């Protein structure tokens, strides 16, 4: 199960050996998803939220030619500040690891590395998905294909409306990935608990989610389960406000000919800079919220 490319923190190694609950956390959100110093503060607070549930946090990144599971405070600080950190999805892993470059892992790469160590639950803010206008650009995140391959459940606040939420739900269905919303009928859209789309499934307690994960993998059905965790309504940003900012962000990306892996970081940065901090606060709240739910599911498993 453990291979030469893994470097696992002793506490996490012990937790794996003892079958203790562990929650994987990604690092692209730190390096490319949020501005410093909020990114590092949030990464530390997320780890603390996981610990409060009794689970052990495992933040994942690439350093010195290894997949690191568990980062020190100094390493979190490094990924939060350093400018030349790679955003590493699956296709970037061989190059970045072979050349011993620093890499922050996306949902896809984090899932794959978590799975190498046998970690089954992963918390993030928002997953990548099918982009708006994907019928022309074919911009579909490798997060989705990875979710059809790898047995790690993902807790997110639904799908961000920089993406086409309807097409993303269709793609998840095609790839056989169950989508469960925690505690409500409607699928959430990251900054808002609403999206206008019904959730394919609703579950109201962590134990039943854990049971569903076990059943899926017990049946030999490979891949993830997307657990959508709505942001508490008092923390929401109004969809109208966000939609205007997103439209401008998309226009700006188009104008600047932003393509490939740069698209998502460009849009996230634009939104953070143009929403007077409101979106960033919601973003932090929802990640903490997701870390807590993931910790409870990991404990129930
Ligand atoms: N969406 C967010 N915040 C993020 C990301 C997405 O709201 O930080 C990051 C995650 O790491 C996700 C990645 O896995 O962007 C997706 O990138 P792409 O669309 O290039 O696959
Ligand atoms: Mn893309």
């Amino acid at each position: 199960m453990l291979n030469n490319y893994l470097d696992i923190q002793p506490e996490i190694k012990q937790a794996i050996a003892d079958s203790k609950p562990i929650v994987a956390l990604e690092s692209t959100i730190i390096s490319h998803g949020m501005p410093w110093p909020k990114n590092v503060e949030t990464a530390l607070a997320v780890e603390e939220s996981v610990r409060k549930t009794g689970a052990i946090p495992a933040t994942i990144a690439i350093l010195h030619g290894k997949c690191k599971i568990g980062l020190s405070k100094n390493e979190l600080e490094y990924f939060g500040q350093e400018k030349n950190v790679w955003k590493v999805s699956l296709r970037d892993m061989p190059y970045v690891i072979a050349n011993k470059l620093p890499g922050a892992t996306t949902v896809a790469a984090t899932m794959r590395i978590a799975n190498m160590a046998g970690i089954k639950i992963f918390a993030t803010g928002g997953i990548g998905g099918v982009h708006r206008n994907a019928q022309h650009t074919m911009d579909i995140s490798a997060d989705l294909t990875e979710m059809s391959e790898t047995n790690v459940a993902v807790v997110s606040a639904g799908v961000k409306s920089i993406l086409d939420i309807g097409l993303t739900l269709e793609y998840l269905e095609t790839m056989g990935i169950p989508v469960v919303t925690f505690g409500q009928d409607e699928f959430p859209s990251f900054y808002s608990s609403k999206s206008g789309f019904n959730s394919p499934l609703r579950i109201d307690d962590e134990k039943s989610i854990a049971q569903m994960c076990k059943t899926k993998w017990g049946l030999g059905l490979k891949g993830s389960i997307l657990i959508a965790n709505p942001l508490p309504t008092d923390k929401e940003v109004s969809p109208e406000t966000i939609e205007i900012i997103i439209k401008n962000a998309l226009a700006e990306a188009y104008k600047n000919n932003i393509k490939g892996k740069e698209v998502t970081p460009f849009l996230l940065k634009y939104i953070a800079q143009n929403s007077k901090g409101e979106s960033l606060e919601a973003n932090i709240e929802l990640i903490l919220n997701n870390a807590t739910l993931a910790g409870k599911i990991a404990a129930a498993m």
Side-chain angles (χ1 to χ4, degrees):
M1 195 169 68
L2 308 181
N3 68 48
N4 283 337
Y5 294 105
L6 291 183
D7 174 2
I8 309 179
Q9 238 177 24
E11 184 196 18
I12 298 169
K13 214 177 233 175
Q14 193 59 50
I16 294 168
D18 298 343
S19 298
K20 290 221 179 98
I22 306 172
V23 174
L25 301 164
E26 60 150 314
S27 44
T28 291
I29 193 170
I30 304 171
S31 63
H32 295 77
M34 273 191 197
W36 187 82
K38 285 274 178 194
N39 55 358
V40 178
E41 285 166 31
T42 305
L44 291 167
V46 167
E47 291 199 346
E48 199 44 48
S49 297
V50 170
R51 283 194 192 278
K52 278 193 195 133
T53 68
I56 295 181
T59 305
I60 291 175
I62 289 166
L63 206 57
H64 311 310
K66 302 260 185 193
C67 302
K68 286 212 73 152
I69 303 188
L71 300 184
S72 68
K73 205 175 161 199
N74 280 343
E75 286 163 343
L76 286 175
E77 200 55 63
Y78 171 81
F79 281 104
Q81 289 208 51
E82 194 56 43
K83 289 284 170 277
N84 60 357
V85 168
W86 277 62
K87 172 185 164 193
V88 177
S89 192
L90 284 187
R91 65 116 193 240
D92 311 292
M93 280 176 70
Y95 182 81
V96 171
I97 292 171
N99 290 287
K100 300 192 164 48
L101 302 170
T105 48
T106 63
V107 168
T110 306
M111 282 178 73
R112 185 63 67 102
I113 295 166
N115 195 49
M116 288 177 194
I119 302 171
K120 305 316 277 173
I121 302 284
F122 168 28
T124 185
I127 58 164
V130 181
H131 281 257
R132 296 191 192 191
N133 210 30
Q135 60 273 39
H136 299 296
T137 63
M138 286 194 60
D139 190 353
I140 300 174
S141 174
D143 290 355
L144 295 184
T145 40
E146 181 61 12
M147 289 180 78
S148 71
E149 280 285 321
T150 295
N151 300 3
V152 174
V154 178
V155 180
S156 88
V159 168
K160 203 175 247 175
S161 48
I162 56 173
L163 303 170
D164 189 314
I165 298 174
L167 292 187
T168 301
L169 286 169
E170 290 294 344
Y171 196 93
L172 288 162
E173 180 183 351
T174 302
M175 301 307 262
I177 302 160
V179 176
V180 178
T181 298
F182 186 65
Q184 67 176 39
D185 295 328
E186 190 166 345
F187 185 70
S189 64
F190 201 85
Y191 296 118
S192 168
S193 62
K194 293 163 220 72
S195 68
F197 292 90
N198 280 329
S199 178
L201 298 168
R202 166 187 177 156
I203 295 183
D204 291 356
D205 67 292
E206 301 91 27
K207 279 214 177 82
S208 305
I209 295 176
Q211 193 56 48
M212 190 177 152
C213 293
K214 276 198 192 162
T215 306
K216 171 164 175 156
W217 299 325
L219 287 165
L221 292 171
K222 66 176 178 161
S224 186
I225 290 182
L226 176 61
I227 300 147
N229 189 25
L231 181 69
T233 46
D234 60 324
K235 305 277 168 36
E236 287 180 319
V237 185
S238 97
E240 292 77 20
T241 311
I242 284 293
E243 183 60 21
I244 294 167
I245 300 170
I246 287 172
K247 285 252 165 68
N248 291 338
L250 291 167
E252 208 53 32
Y254 184 76
K255 215 166 72 189
N256 289 288
N257 201 25
I258 306 294
K259 294 248 162 67
K261 69 188 283 192
E262 311 303 334
V263 172
T264 299
F266 181 93
L267 297 174
L268 295 177
K269 193 167 172 202
Y270 186 98
I271 294 168
Q273 284 174 348
N274 289 276
S275 68
K276 302 186 213 89
E278 196 187 1
S279 76
L280 188 57
E281 287 314 308
N283 208 338
I284 293 167
E285 282 298 331
L286 65 85
I287 298 168
L288 297 177
N289 200 34
N290 295 347
T292 301
L293 179 58
K296 289 179 181 166
I297 296 169
M301 279 180 93

